[in-house]
Amino acid sequence: MDEVARVARRDAKVEIASEAMQAVRDSESALRSVMSQGKKLYGLTTGVGALDRNAITPDMNRVAQINLIRSHAAGVGAAMPSDQVRANAYAIKYALCWP
């Protein structure tokens, strides 16, 4: 918890281990390879939810991914305090990119 507090309240620098970044690059490469074969990948080459039968072309993919993030980032009420946002982002980083 001390580390989370340093990140959230004292703006400590957060880094992702080089091994974790390599795993992200490897995953991206594998996804791009499958996508280049014209295979359906939910949320990458197709829409999501009720739009899952809609094709997303490679030239539409970047915009579709940005729109997906924006749609999930919308909220109700006042913005969260920055220390809570930083703590949440750190928790997500920790869950997805083990040190």
Side-chain angles (χ1 to χ4, degrees), residues 11 13 21 24 26 29 36 46 65 71 74 84 87 92-93:
D11 294 333
K13 185 177 180 180
M21 283 305 303
V24 169
D26 292 346
S29 178
S36 72
T46 72
Q65 294 301 309
S71 73
Q84 291 178 17
I92 292 169
K93 172 263 182 196

Side-chain angles (χ1 to χ4, degrees), residues 1-98:
M1 290 304 287
D2 289 339
E3 188 172 351
V4 175
R6 281 193 299 276
V7 168
R9 298 192 178 119
R10 293 190 289 278
D11 294 333
K13 185 177 180 180
V14 175
E15 295 182 356
I16 297 174
S18 60
E19 297 86 2
M21 283 305 303
Q22 187 59 51
V24 169
R25 285 187 206 97
D26 292 346
S27 294
E28 178 187 18
S29 178
L31 287 172
R32 288 187 185 278
S33 175
V34 172
M35 289 171 67
S36 72
Q37 297 169 27
K39 295 184 179 179
K40 287 186 179 181
L41 289 172
Y42 179 79
L44 292 173
T45 62
T46 72
V48 296
L51 301 175
D52 67 344
R53 296 188 188 272
N54 294 9
I56 303 292
T57 62
D59 59 314
M60 294 170 38
N61 187 269
R62 183 172 176 76
V63 172
Q65 294 301 309
I66 291 169
N67 288 340
L68 181 64
I69 291 169
R70 286 181 178 156
S71 73
H72 285 76
V76 176
M80 288 175 60
S82 63
D83 63 332
Q84 291 178 17
V85 173
R86 288 181 61 83
N88 188 49
Y90 182 76
I92 292 169
K93 172 263 182 196
Y94 191 82
L96 297 176
C97 301
W98 288 88

